[in-house]
Amino acid sequence: MEKSINLRIDHQCPQCGAPATLDETDRLFQCAFCKVKSYLMQRGYFRYLLPHNAATGREMVYFPYWRFKGMIFSCLASGIENRFLDLSQQAVQSPLFPSSVGLRSQAMKLRFVSPETKGWFIRPTLPFQGVMETFLERVNRRMPRPILHQSHIGESLSLIYAPFTVGRRIMDGVLNQPVSKELDETFQISQYAGGPADWRIEFIPTLCPNCGWDLQGRRDALVLSCKHCESMWKASKNGLSRVNVAHLPAASRADTLYLPFWRIKADVSGLELASYADLIRLANLPKVVQPEWNQAPWHFWGPAFKVRPRSFLRLTHQTTLSQPRESLVAAAPPGAMHPVNLPLSESVETLKLNLAGFIRPQKRVETCIPGVQIQPRRYLLVYLPFEVRHHDLVQPSLNIAVNRAQLALAENL
Ligand SMILES: [Zn+2]
Ligand SMILES: [Zn+2]
């Protein structure tokens, strides 16, 4: 397991200008001074820069790096392997600049790129997808073949600009050290396409679009709730959009925490998997198929919160195979809720992996998985009640447990 680092960002309150430090996972920002809440909109990816230490008046050049932080799951003939990755790599191919941001982004506070930042921002020319392939090649070097399927569940994809100055050599603008050999006399930094910074972080107010009440959520919450009209909201292209939500009522009066799960309805082709009965047969579950199950729908399930990769997989399979279908209530739960901090889009990325993990016998995976196509259709955010015990959260009717300490640690992932 590699160490996972949450980047820290120096920031100013968009209302009153007071300084604040954000974690990269923060979405809901409440200013400590004016108390105004705002929500950070993530369109595509966030763009950060490392502040420079160069002498004042120097013309700064900002070089872009893609950064990926997340989990890689590899489906092999022997089972599913997982890795946690936190990597950066040049977003423009260049022998003159360092190949990655290195450790500096972890040791220093970053800032959001803004049009007020002076300097030449080199435009990324390598698409992230290509860089991801390079990351995967590195991961896959030591992996046994064949690799049947791979999914990367990235909680963070961002662009980090590192500062440099250009003289006889390219100088690192943080360490003030040369990073290149002597440059040709004809060298011009404008050989790299770019221009002034043209991006700004966007904020929206956290008011319920339905009733105007103040929305609630933890600082890393991707879904905000309105306690007044009991609706839930997530950021989308056009601001906040309503989330379809349901919960399974708690069976006991024990201290309860509701954990969020994405339930996804999808069409699967290349495999007989249309009904609940098909699911039981494919996973070889010890259940007697009831005739009506041949018509009953089934859904993919997976955590809507961050946990370590191994627990993530286990929870994905346990919930999908137990298909909690009984008496869901089409409303947010009445008690304490764990925040949604894994987006639906990332859960969608796991569907094939989910399937690969429960096909039995295991050796069928190798022949089945390469031909399978999965088309997601509908989603529902479902909160399942877990009893809060000393070390674990326990869902007694589905027989699922989550370690509490692990859930707390996962906030950094
Ligand atoms: Zn403020
Ligand atoms: Zn409301």
Side-chain angles (χ1 to χ4, degrees):
M1 179 86 179
E2 282 141 71
K3 207 162 141 200
S4 134
I5 305 231
N6 228 345
L7 301 179
R8 312 264 291 157
I9 304 134
D10 262 332
H11 181 60
Q12 282 191 312
C13 169
Q15 279 293 321
C16 74
T21 301
L22 303 182
D23 281 338
E24 67 176 313
T25 48
D26 285 355
R27 293 295 175 273
L28 185 63
F29 166 71
Q30 180 164 30
C31 175
F33 292 88
C34 71
K35 306 291 177 203
V36 169
K37 279 199 258 182
S38 45
Y39 194 83
L40 279 78
M41 290 292 280
Q42 183 174 11
R43 291 186 205 275
Y45 46 85
F46 289 133
R47 295 163 207 206
Y48 306 109
L49 61 84
L50 279 163
H52 70 80
N53 292 316
T56 43
R58 290 301 303 269
E59 176 91 25
M60 300 309 298
V61 170
Y62 288 92
F63 189 87
Y65 294 90
W66 288 116
R67 172 171 175 271
F68 172 84
K69 185 168 91 160
M71 300 179 270
I72 306 272
F73 293 98
S74 308
C75 178
L76 308 174
S78 57
I80 296 170
E81 297 269 330
N82 67 71
R83 288 274 314 260
F84 190 84
L85 284 190
D86 188 345
L87 292 168
S88 69
Q89 178 139 325
Q90 289 185 341
V92 175
Q93 186 111 44
S94 168
L96 297 178
F97 294 90
S99 59
S100 74
V101 185
L103 297 171
R104 288 170 298 164
S105 63
Q106 304 175 352
M108 298 172 61
K109 280 191 206 162
L110 282 76
R111 287 215 300 268
F112 287 117
V113 169
S114 80
E116 289 77 36
T117 323
K118 289 193 176 70
W120 181 263
F121 284 75
I122 295 174
R123 193 174 307 133
T125 53
L126 296 172
F128 171 71
Q129 212 45 48
V131 172
M132 191 68 218
E133 274 159 32
T134 318
F135 289 161
L136 285 179
E137 271 167 34
R138 253 189 265 171
V139 172
N140 292 347
R141 232 172 267 156
R142 273 165 287 162
M143 202 81 79
R145 305 295 146 137
I147 299 170
L148 304 169
H149 173 67
Q150 230 164 8
S151 53
H152 42 94
I153 300 162
E155 290 129 29
S156 304
L157 167 64
S158 51
L159 200 63
I160 299 179
Y161 287 94
F164 297 89
T165 56
V166 181
R168 279 171 53 214
R169 298 160 189 267
I170 308 259
M171 298 278 288
D172 182 312
V174 176
L175 306 169
N176 289 318
Q177 285 169 357
V179 292
S180 74
K181 292 187 284 196
E182 271 195 39
L183 300 166
D184 269 355
E185 276 174 31
T186 57
F187 178 82
Q188 296 281 330
I189 194 64
S190 54
Q191 288 168 10
Y192 292 94
D198 60 356
W199 186 83
R200 185 190 290 286
I201 184 80
E202 238 183 295
F203 287 93
I204 53 171
T206 56
L207 300 178
C208 174
N210 186 45
C211 74
W213 204 260
D214 196 24
L215 295 174
Q216 311 277 314
R218 205 172 68 176
R219 55 196 287 184
D220 61 343
L222 297 174
V223 172
L224 303 176
S225 65
C226 175
K227 301 286 180 206
H228 186 246
C229 69
E230 295 186 339
S231 57
M232 301 197 82
W233 302 86
K234 68 182 169 81
S236 66
K237 278 189 202 103
N238 315 310
L240 294 170
S241 65
R242 196 159 183 158
V243 175
N244 305 317
V245 62
H247 73 275
L248 187 71
S252 75
R253 282 160 188 242
D255 194 8
T256 299
L257 179 68
Y258 287 88
L259 295 186
F261 291 84
W262 295 115
R263 193 189 85 167
I264 298 168
K265 181 79 200 144
D267 297 337
V268 179
S269 60
L271 203 61
E272 182 109 2
L273 187 49
S275 68
Y276 181 46
D278 291 335
L279 175 73
I280 290 170
R281 285 187 283 261
L282 191 67
N284 198 18
L285 297 181
K287 280 186 185 170
V288 180
V289 173
Q290 308 294 309
E292 67 270 22
W293 292 355
N294 285 304
Q295 269 71 51
W298 73 281
H299 299 88
F300 285 102
W301 286 72
F305 52 95
K306 291 180 193 171
V307 270
R308 303 262 163 184
R310 200 166 290 281
S311 307
F312 181 86
L313 265 189
R314 180 177 56 81
L315 288 166
T316 297
H317 291 138
Q318 285 179 329
T319 45
T320 300
L321 293 179
S322 56
Q323 290 289 304
R325 319 183 284 149
E326 315 309 330
S327 55
L328 290 183
V329 177
M337 292 180 264
H338 188 73
V340 173
N341 53 20
L342 191 87
L344 175 65
S345 58
E346 298 306 313
S347 195
V348 165
E349 291 288 323
T350 66
L351 300 183
K352 199 164 176 177
L353 186 85
N354 187 343
L355 186 60
F358 64 69
I359 293 178
R360 294 292 177 273
Q362 162 90 46
K363 60 178 189 290
R364 272 191 73 194
V365 174
E366 200 166 345
T367 48
C368 287
I369 280 300
V372 167
Q373 299 283 334
I374 302 176
Q375 187 65 46
R377 296 289 175 202
R378 286 190 305 279
Y379 82 90
L380 183 65
L381 178 63
V382 184
Y383 286 87
L384 299 178
F386 282 71
E387 287 177 13
V388 181
R389 306 233 178 115
H390 189 59
H391 292 292
D392 292 316
L393 299 172
V394 177
Q395 203 333 297
S397 61
L398 305 174
N399 201 14
I400 300 173
V402 185
N403 182 274
R404 288 177 67 187
Q406 232 213 35
L407 201 59
L409 278 175
E411 283 163 32
N412 262 355
L413 291 181

